Amino acid sequence: MSKHLDNSTTAPPGAAALDSAHVGDIHGAFGTIRLNDESPRSGWKARIKTLLAVIGPGLIVMVGDNDAGAFGTYTQAGQNYGTALLWTLLLLVPVIYVNQEMVLRLGIVSGVGHARLILERFGKFWGAFSVIDLFILNALTIVTEFIGISLGLDYLGIPKIAGVPVAAVVIIAAASTGSFKRFEQVCLTLVAGSLLLIPIIVMAHPPLGQITHDFVIPGIPAGASLSDVTLLIIGIVGTTIAPWQLFFQQSYLIDKRITPRYINYEKADLWIGIIIVIVGAGAIIAFTAATFAGRPEFSNFTDAEGVAVGLGKYVGKAAGVLFAIALIDASIIGAAAVGLSTSYALGDVLGLKHSLHRKVSDAKGFYAVFAGILLISAVIVLIPGSPLGLLTVGVQVLAGVLLPSATVFLLLLCNDRQVLGPWVNGKAMNIFTALVIAVLVILSIVLTAGVLFPGLTGAAIITILLSGAGGCVLGAAGYLITLKVRPRARTEAVDRSGRTHWRMPPLTLLEAPKLSTARRAGLSVLRTYLLIAMILVIVRIVQLSLGG
């Protein structure tokens, strides 16, 4: 073991940690907690000190999600439809929390990354599929992050041929110091940079009454094309909830060495991140709507740089500059988080040392993957004539196609008593997550159809939505009838006492999962849908790139 690691990094008996660097003192950006610290956190000062030490994973994963793709989607919503779609953000709050809370619980209790758990509990096909699709999707996503950086640099008058490589090197350098604490300090500094959106909304002074109304009252923009609005709403869902978030947060919590004792503090960290991301997204939509309302550019969205130009023209030069800097800031933190989710997943599955606590010389494969995917993505953006627009579309569609499957496995793992023991989901959580998965599947089908058939009409979209809803109702009815006719054997009640100290045993000691016939059939259907949808989407994108 490397000398630079903690003195207390030896994994305790029965620990499932795949890397010894994942066990030891918590070194957060704002404090340290010793491995064997059992002192009570009874006073508010002690609790705040503890929160400051563990804060970070929720903030980074949430603010990292307000990245270049999010800037493009939210500004498009504001410029084309005003504040009429703000309500979608409020509806997403419980979905975001439930998804990331399950990931949070899974990572802290199991001590094993998301990709490795899928491999061990569902077999080689799903393990390989999860890593391969994550790698492809993440690589494309990082390309969009560098597109965002290049747009921001272009507005500021900085040549992208110099600025993009510098940004890539800065991200790689921040992660390669061998100090988890130092990396988190850099990330939280970038998180603070997202607050640059606040002065912009103050300068644009959008109508607060209209914002409040549209935030809580759902509605469709008057006179807008139903198909265009529906696809944009799906885009908002896809950019706010992405597969990489599941893999990143789970592995980052493990690398930070968070234990079940601090799980409530991490939930608070997650809520802070959710508030920041929703406020940031709402601010982008609101000040973009206020900037272009009544202007010739309204309903004529181009890209985020066009929004910066509009801010500079109608609100003030300072607003345009702040927006460009915020875009670059968001793209950098997004690229860092997405890149790390890839390195963590490959390290988990391939058995590589994979920790930010390790120096480059002690985890060559982990850092090589991280640096490689960032540098290749940066080069793609710099190549003249690269189909950057198609790559952006590809990211949105593939994320939409893959998100339901990621949530399915998350739900199954969070009901696996071998993995989570007393921390498994309750009935209410399972019902809500099942509804979320059903909605995500329907939206995924609509998005895939929209790419395959660009002329998809509003009537066709409504037909898909109603058919999907009908299928969900029939499926639920069939499930209830099955329970009536052939009741399942009563399962033993979950004993949740003493769960603060419960951790998943090593993977080799777990019993093989027992999947019911219904679950096996469901996974087979999911596999077939994913393969068909991905092939069709890739074919369509290739056709578009060739001018077809």
Side-chain angles (χ1 to χ4, degrees):
M1 190 178 299
S2 301
K3 293 180 180 180
H4 64 276
L5 298 178
D6 297 34
N7 294 326
S8 54
T9 53
T10 303
L18 299 179
D19 189 322
S20 60
H22 293 161
V23 181
D25 300 340
I26 297 172
H27 291 295
F30 304 122
T32 297
I33 300 176
R34 298 300 176 189
L35 174 62
N36 299 314
D37 181 357
E38 296 292 335
S39 59
R41 267 73 177 176
S42 53
W44 66 269
K45 288 184 178 180
R47 291 175 180 172
I48 290 178
K49 187 176 180 180
T50 302
L51 177 62
L52 289 175
V54 304
I55 202 169
L59 275 173
I60 295 170
V61 74
M62 286 289 95
V63 176
D65 193 48
N66 257 3
D67 58 358
F71 266 63
T73 303
Y74 298 145
T75 51
Q76 181 180 359
Q79 184 169 347
N80 287 357
Y81 303 113
T83 56
L85 297 180
L86 275 174
W87 56 271
T88 57
L89 300 177
L90 188 61
L91 289 182
L92 285 175
V93 170
V95 178
I96 296 171
Y97 177 75
V98 167
N99 258 25
Q100 298 306 131
E101 189 277 337
M102 286 195 292
V103 171
L104 182 154
R105 196 164 10 105
L106 193 60
I108 292 175
V109 176
S110 72
V112 174
H114 204 64
R116 184 58 178 269
L117 283 179
I118 293 175
L119 173 68
E120 295 288 343
R121 305 305 285 170
F122 301 103
K124 293 181 179 179
F125 172 84
W126 286 114
F129 186 87
S130 67
V131 172
I132 293 170
D133 69 47
L134 180 74
F135 185 88
I136 295 171
L137 181 58
N138 281 4
L140 293 174
T141 302
I142 295 172
V143 170
T144 67
E145 307 297 6
F146 283 111
I147 292 173
I149 291 171
S150 67
L151 292 175
L153 292 172
D154 190 50
Y155 179 79
L156 296 174
I158 301 173
K160 71 176 184 179
I161 195 69
V164 168
V166 168
V169 170
V170 167
I171 297 169
I172 295 168
S176 306
T177 64
S179 170
F180 183 97
K181 179 175 184 175
R182 193 171 297 124
F183 172 78
E184 189 165 86
Q185 287 172 336
V186 171
C187 283
L188 292 184
T189 300
L190 292 170
V191 168
S194 66
L195 299 178
L196 292 173
L197 297 172
I198 295 177
I200 301 175
I201 197 169
V202 172
M203 287 185 275
H205 51 80
L208 295 180
Q210 187 67 41
I211 291 174
T212 302
H213 174 274
D214 291 343
F215 196 73
V216 297
I217 306 296
I220 299 296
S225 165
L226 180 60
S227 59
D228 290 344
V229 172
T230 303
L231 291 175
L232 182 56
I233 291 174
I234 296 172
I236 292 173
V237 174
T239 198
T240 310
I241 310 169
W244 71 262
Q245 293 173 269
L246 311 183
F247 291 83
F248 171 79
Q249 187 175 12
Q250 185 163 333
S251 291
Y252 191 80
L253 283 162
I254 294 166
D255 204 7
K256 188 162 182 176
R257 304 165 175 171
I258 303 297
T259 64
R261 186 182 185 197
Y262 306 106
I263 204 164
N264 287 332
Y265 290 96
E266 282 301 342
K267 289 180 181 180
D269 173 38
L270 176 60
W271 271 118
I272 295 170
I274 290 173
I275 291 170
I276 291 176
V277 79
I278 295 299
V279 169
I284 293 172
I285 293 175
F287 65 62
T288 304
T291 299
F292 294 103
R295 312 286 188 183
E297 297 90 344
F298 186 77
S299 296
N300 293 303
F301 176 79
T302 53
D303 54 31
E305 184 182 357
V307 173
V309 171
L311 284 166
K313 180 179 179 181
Y314 298 119
V315 179
K317 185 65 176 178
V321 170
L322 287 174
F323 180 81
I325 295 173
L327 173 59
I328 295 170
D329 176 89
S331 301
I332 289 175
I333 191 172
V338 176
L340 273 178
S341 74
T342 310
S343 295
Y344 279 136
L346 287 174
D348 255 335
V349 171
L350 299 179
L352 305 173
K353 294 177 180 178
H354 51 296
S355 173
L356 292 171
H357 291 283
R358 294 187 180 278
K359 293 185 181 298
V360 173
S361 59
D362 196 32
K364 297 183 182 68
F366 172 70
Y367 289 109
V369 171
F370 181 72
I373 196 170
L374 283 165
L375 292 175
I376 291 172
S377 299
V379 168
I380 290 174
V381 173
L382 296 176
I383 296 175
S386 295
L388 302 181
L390 285 177
L391 291 175
T392 302
V393 172
V395 168
Q396 291 179 331
V397 178
L398 287 177
V401 169
L402 297 173
L403 183 59
S405 68
T407 308
V408 165
F409 285 113
L410 178 59
L411 178 61
L412 292 175
L413 287 170
C414 285
N415 280 280
D416 190 334
R417 294 195 184 190
Q418 291 286 311
V419 173
L420 283 187
W423 291 96
V424 292
N425 280 1
K427 182 182 289 186
M429 178 74 80
N430 285 333
I431 292 173
F432 181 81
T433 308
L435 290 173
V436 169
I437 291 172
V439 172
L440 291 177
V441 169
I442 296 171
L443 295 181
S444 173
I445 293 173
V446 172
L447 184 59
T448 304
V451 172
L452 297 178
F453 309 103
L456 193 69
T457 64
I461 289 177
I462 290 176
T463 300
I464 295 174
L465 294 175
L466 291 177
S467 299
C472 292
V473 171
L474 290 175
Y479 179 73
L480 293 174
I481 291 171
T482 302
L483 290 181
K484 291 276 188 182
V485 175
R486 192 175 58 187
R488 293 191 301 175
R490 178 176 293 179
T491 56
E492 184 180 348
V494 178
D495 179 9
R496 300 187 185 274
S497 62
R499 63 180 183 169
T500 301
H501 299 287
W502 197 92
R503 303 295 298 273
M504 186 186 80
L507 291 167
T508 54
L509 300 181
L510 301 186
E511 297 176 6
K514 298 176 181 178
L515 295 177
S516 65
T517 303
R519 284 189 177 180
R520 289 183 184 279
L523 289 177
S524 297
V525 171
L526 178 63
R527 178 188 301 187
T528 303
Y529 164 70
L530 288 174
L531 290 175
I532 293 174
M534 288 186 68
I535 290 171
L536 290 176
V537 168
I538 291 171
V539 168
R540 180 57 183 163
I541 290 175
V542 171
Q543 288 177 340
L544 291 173
S545 67
L546 297 176

